Amino acid sequence: MSLLAIFAFYASIASCFLNFASAAPKREFHINYSVVTGYFLQDEASTNASTFNFINTNFGLINRTYATDTRLDPKGIKTQWQRFENQVFRLNRESGRTIQYKLLFMGRHGEGYHNAAESYYGTPGWNCYYSLLDGNETVTWADARLTSKGITQALAVNAFWASEIKNQKITTPQSYYTSPLTRCLTTANLTFSGLQLPSRHPFIPTVKEFFREGISGHTCDRRGSRSYIQNAFPSYRIEPGFVETDQLWQAYHSEPQVDQDIRSRAVLDDVFSTDSETYISITSHSGEIASLLRVLGHRPFSLSTGAVIPVLVKAETSQNPTPTSATQPYNAICTCTSPPAIVHALDNYYLAITLLITIAYQLFFFSIAFSLKFDKLTDFAGGTNFVGLAIITLAFSGHHHARQIVCSLFIILWGARLSGFLLFRIIKTGKDDRFDDKRDKFWSFLGFWVFQMIWVWTVSLPVTILNSPNVTKFDQPAFGTGRDIAGVIFFAIGFILESISDVQKYQFRSNPKNKGKVCDIGFFTWTRHPNYFGEIIIQFLSPSAYGYVTDGAFSAQYAAILGPFFLTLLLMFVSGLTLQERPGAKKRYESGNHWESFSRYTKRTSILIPFPPQLYEPMPTILKRTLFLEFPIYVFDPAKHADQSKVRDREAEEGDGHVQQAEQGNHDGAASGE
């Protein structure tokens, strides 16, 4: 770009700011804004913006009493909004001439074609390539129009306003403002047209330049001409000084946040100093509403498309001149010469493709195992299936955030270690006793493999969804947040616990001197199943994109917790503890295989959660059965659960053996005496 072009660009920006300034009288005063909290849920730190629904919560208006209720509503028949209106009226009446209170209804436009395109292409690809285009072969997203979904969203807000007017007697906006971009102009029209509004406050919005979205090189942020707006929305007012063509937008450049906040303050100053109404509607954009909230001192609160946030604002005017804030030059945006590759495989959460891969992979190994009566690949097929799904979904995603890479590497490492260890163990032992009654029965054997399919696919869900386009499309903060660090630490703890305990137990059992003995070494001194506990915390506590995604992706991330829960239920109630604890104790008791040492071990050692045995042994039984998860289904009671006939047979055999030993000893003694 030539120096002349650069100069012309910044001159046009300065001209636009000067046009705005010249449209209103010059004032030597400063307005200090603050948010009056205690009235709306959106002001509360405990309210989660990602899941909040303003329609289901009466715009977020808190159900509470006000000091003015006694005189206004002694019979308690007024609605919350009627009582709130009276409260705001009192605030304004009792404030001085330099203080005013206004309620701003700030609404984000419905979904536009640019939003749909970003969802399809993903945020990285959108930002560096597609957003610089006017559209594709199907749609145009320059100064984007509303999609059918966006129209539905705006009409839903319209229906909500109609319900609030009828049932809550809400005070409707007395003044309306909108961004000059088409998606906002249309959203405002769909939202407020046809409502029963007071005749003195009809829906005639004012188009204001500075309520536009944060200005970037994206074509969706380039507004249409003044003539276009006048022709498309003839009933709208256009503020004085609004120029014919867009002088703020510039290709390949973006407005710094400080500049956006300066213009947001300027437009608020204009509204608060020239508009005497109390209830104001502003139809704008997610980035601009975020800027307005910063200027007002409101906590960050992101809005989904079509959402509305009310903010009660206290504005105090002082005669001191407004502090000057220097604007900064626009920034050059990062671009790419070609779009990043991304694979949309059947669905944008990769659920179908991973299920099909899992079914095919497991059936392949099942055919080998059943045909050759071969046990050595069963567990190997399960563990390596995890590895394959993580690699495939990560490769398909196209957007490799550090968070996705770390989580994928974690499950690859875990699956590779698990499958490798189990393969090594089965090679040493020769066969898997679990299949002695199934190996020759097609349907019984297949049933195990089907269950393994469900296990692999379900437990892989967190990483599958994390790598999916519907999650990776969101911008995420750099890896290293508190959640990330906690996830890495807990994965490391779980992985070490599971890996080392597997080795400790294998080495213990491989020693002929330990045949039949209780493994109470290493991690097994603190928990009877350290490998199970390690596996559970690996799956539950790994880094996630939770908190940085919204809408369906946010819900999908929550739904992915099905994987860790399924694994936990499997280990605790299906194939883990229920097959190890009571059945193992029963076998030892009936066979007399180190029963006394095993009984002492179970009394002093936690079943799952690692805990010092010195503290666990004297612990009350109620705490062991609840806090430490040693549920009654795991506990072996010889009187209830043992086969007493086997015990008597074993004791009889032991008695005969003792008699024979005694007789042999007497015989040897007699022979010696002779």
Side-chain angles (χ1 to χ4, degrees):
M1 183 181 291
S2 67
L3 292 175
L4 182 60
I6 294 174
F7 176 79
F9 166 49
Y10 289 115
S12 67
I13 294 173
S15 173
C16 189
F17 273 88
L18 290 172
N19 285 337
F20 174 83
S22 62
K26 297 185 182 298
R27 304 175 184 88
E28 291 296 325
F29 59 77
H30 173 65
I31 302 177
N32 182 56
Y33 299 103
S34 60
V35 175
V36 186
T37 59
Y39 293 94
F40 292 95
L41 293 171
Q42 294 92 322
D43 305 336
E44 307 294 321
S46 58
T47 302
N48 188 332
S50 299
T51 58
F52 185 76
N53 188 319
F54 74 97
I55 290 179
N56 295 339
T57 55
N58 198 21
F59 273 116
L61 184 64
I62 296 173
N63 187 16
R64 51 161 289 189
T65 59
Y66 309 119
T68 55
D69 287 352
T70 304
R71 177 174 296 182
L72 170 74
D73 189 25
K75 296 183 178 180
I77 60 175
K78 299 290 186 181
T79 69
Q80 187 70 46
W81 273 104
Q82 287 176 310
R83 292 187 288 112
F84 173 77
E85 177 190 11
N86 188 59
Q87 172 71 2
V88 174
F89 174 78
R90 183 189 69 84
L91 290 174
N92 276 315
R93 184 185 62 189
E94 296 179 358
S95 62
R97 295 180 59 185
T98 60
I99 296 176
Q100 57 179 317
Y101 293 86
K102 293 184 186 293
L103 182 65
L104 306 183
F105 288 100
M106 292 186 283
R108 183 184 176 187
H109 60 78
E111 182 190 71
Y113 280 108
H114 66 306
N115 300 125
E118 182 176 359
S119 295
Y120 181 80
Y121 293 118
T123 298
W126 169 257
N127 283 338
C128 81
Y129 184 81
Y130 291 104
S131 65
L132 309 179
L133 309 176
D134 283 350
N136 59 19
E137 63 277 5
T138 305
V139 299
T140 298
W141 51 70
D143 190 16
R145 274 61 172 169
L146 295 184
T147 65
S148 58
K149 178 181 177 181
I151 293 172
T152 301
Q153 290 172 333
L155 292 176
V157 180
N158 177 277
F160 177 58
W161 269 108
S163 173
E164 291 288 279
I165 293 170
K166 178 181 178 181
N167 300 320
Q168 288 291 324
K169 307 298 188 293
I170 189 173
T171 302
T172 55
Q174 298 158 335
S175 294
Y176 300 85
Y177 297 94
T178 178
S179 156
L181 294 168
T182 299
R183 53 191 180 272
C184 288
L185 299 169
T186 304
T187 297
N189 184 55
L190 293 172
T191 300
F192 295 106
S193 292
L195 296 177
Q196 294 183 353
L197 302 174
S199 58
R200 64 184 182 280
H201 296 130
F203 172 63
I204 303 177
T206 299
V207 180
K208 297 191 77 66
E209 182 83 86
F210 281 7
F211 275 137
R212 65 188 294 171
E213 178 61 299
I215 305 162
S216 69
H218 301 182
T219 59
C220 59
D221 296 332
R222 185 182 65 213
R223 72 163 172 86
S225 66
R226 179 189 177 104
S227 300
Y228 157 75
I229 297 173
Q230 285 178 325
N231 293 331
F233 303 90
S235 64
Y236 288 18
R237 298 191 185 102
I238 299 179
E239 67 176 338
F242 193 92
V243 295
E244 174 66 16
T245 59
D246 190 348
Q247 297 183 16
L248 294 181
W249 186 87
Q250 177 71 17
Y252 307 112
H253 289 80
S254 65
E255 173 188 38
Q257 185 182 98
V258 63
D259 285 13
Q260 184 177 8
D261 289 353
I262 288 173
R263 67 174 170 87
S264 294
R265 169 172 282 279
V267 72
L268 284 173
D269 284 352
D270 182 55
V271 170
F272 273 77
S273 61
T274 62
D275 193 328
S276 61
E277 303 295 356
T278 302
Y279 296 85
I280 309 291
S281 168
I282 300 171
T283 305
S284 189
H285 312 259
S286 60
E288 175 57 19
I289 292 174
S291 175
L292 293 170
L293 292 178
R294 286 194 298 271
V295 172
L296 295 173
H298 194 283
R299 75 184 188 97
F301 199 92
S302 60
L303 298 182
S304 58
T305 51
V308 180
I309 179 172
V311 180
L312 182 60
V313 179
K314 176 183 178 182
E316 186 170 5
T317 303
S318 67
Q319 294 306 312
N320 299 320
T322 300
T324 58
S325 300
T327 58
Q328 298 178 2
Y330 275 27
N331 302 315
I333 63 175
C334 296
T335 62
C336 50
T337 56
S338 60
I342 182 170
V343 178
H344 294 268
L346 298 184
D347 67 84
N348 284 344
Y349 289 112
Y350 290 157
L351 301 180
I353 190 65
T354 53
L355 179 60
L356 293 175
I357 291 172
T358 300
I359 292 173
Y361 194 75
Q362 294 302 313
L363 287 178
F364 171 75
F365 280 101
F366 163 75
S367 63
I368 297 175
F370 182 75
S371 301
L372 303 178
K373 313 303 178 190
F374 192 63
D375 296 342
K376 293 181 173 60
L377 294 179
T378 307
D379 290 324
F380 177 80
T384 53
N385 203 156
F386 285 104
V387 176
L389 294 184
I391 292 174
I392 290 170
T393 56
L394 182 64
F396 279 3
S397 68
H399 312 306
H400 299 145
H401 299 293
R403 195 163 287 103
Q404 275 74 25
I405 296 174
V406 169
C407 288
S408 299
L409 289 176
F410 279 176
I411 200 168
I412 290 169
L413 182 63
W414 170 75
R417 187 216 68 86
L418 180 65
S419 57
F421 172 76
L422 295 178
L423 179 62
F424 170 80
R425 190 177 67 180
I426 193 66
I427 290 174
K428 290 293 185 180
T429 58
K431 69 168 188 170
D432 195 329
D433 295 337
R434 293 177 298 172
F435 307 122
D436 288 346
D437 60 342
K438 300 181 179 68
R439 197 175 292 109
D440 298 322
K441 300 175 182 178
F442 179 87
W443 293 112
S444 297
F445 197 38
L446 178 62
F448 170 84
W449 287 84
V450 170
F451 188 80
Q452 183 155 278
M453 296 174 194
I454 298 172
W455 170 60
V456 171
W457 184 79
T458 306
V459 176
S460 293
L461 280 176
V463 168
T464 297
I465 293 176
L466 190 64
N467 286 338
S468 69
N470 276 1
V471 173
T472 58
K473 71 182 182 181
F474 288 95
D475 283 327
Q476 296 181 23
F479 183 82
T481 66
R483 290 191 183 99
D484 294 331
I485 295 171
V488 171
I489 292 173
F490 277 99
F491 175 86
I493 293 172
F495 187 78
I496 292 171
L497 198 61
E498 183 181 14
S499 304
I500 294 180
S501 60
D502 278 343
V503 173
Q504 289 173 338
K505 192 169 189 177
Y506 176 78
Q507 291 178 338
F508 182 86
R509 288 183 171 177
S510 298
N511 189 342
K513 296 180 180 179
N514 296 328
K515 185 177 181 179
K517 291 183 179 179
V518 178
C519 180
D520 58 357
I521 62 170
F523 290 139
F524 290 88
T525 59
W526 283 52
T527 167
R528 304 194 310 254
H529 301 279
N531 50 342
Y532 290 171
F533 181 77
E535 189 160 335
I536 289 171
I537 66 172
I538 281 174
Q539 300 299 333
F540 263 108
L541 297 165
S542 288
S544 168
Y546 169 80
Y548 311 117
V549 300
T550 58
D551 302 329
F554 182 87
S555 301
Q557 284 256 290
Y558 261 115
I561 203 171
L562 172 65
F565 270 118
F566 181 80
L567 176 70
T568 302
L569 294 174
L570 190 66
L571 292 177
M572 294 188 66
F573 302 110
V574 181
S575 64
L577 298 182
T578 51
L579 298 182
Q580 296 283 334
E581 285 295 312
R582 184 183 290 176
K586 181 175 182 291
K587 185 176 180 180
R588 282 185 179 273
Y589 180 79
E590 292 173 352
S591 64
N593 183 8
H594 297 83
W595 166 249
E596 294 298 330
S597 60
F598 179 79
S599 179
R600 290 194 301 271
Y601 176 68
T602 57
K603 290 178 181 177
R604 71 173 183 268
T605 311
S606 169
I607 188 172
L608 185 64
I609 303 172
F611 202 71
Q614 300 86 348
L615 300 177
Y616 186 81
E617 185 171 12
M619 184 180 295
T621 301
I622 184 64
L623 293 182
K624 294 181 179 180
R625 298 287 186 270
T626 54
L627 186 62
F628 283 85
L629 309 179
E630 191 163 353
F631 303 133
I633 60 172
Y634 306 134
V635 179
F636 172 71
D637 183 346
K640 295 180 180 179
H641 306 127
D643 186 338
Q644 298 301 328
S645 63
K646 291 183 179 181
V647 175
R648 287 192 296 270
D649 291 344
R650 187 256 303 168
E651 291 176 344
E653 290 177 4
E654 291 176 350
D656 291 342
H658 292 322
V659 171
Q660 290 175 2
Q661 290 176 5
E663 289 177 349
Q664 182 65 39
N666 292 335
H667 175 73
D668 292 344
S672 176
E674 294 176 357

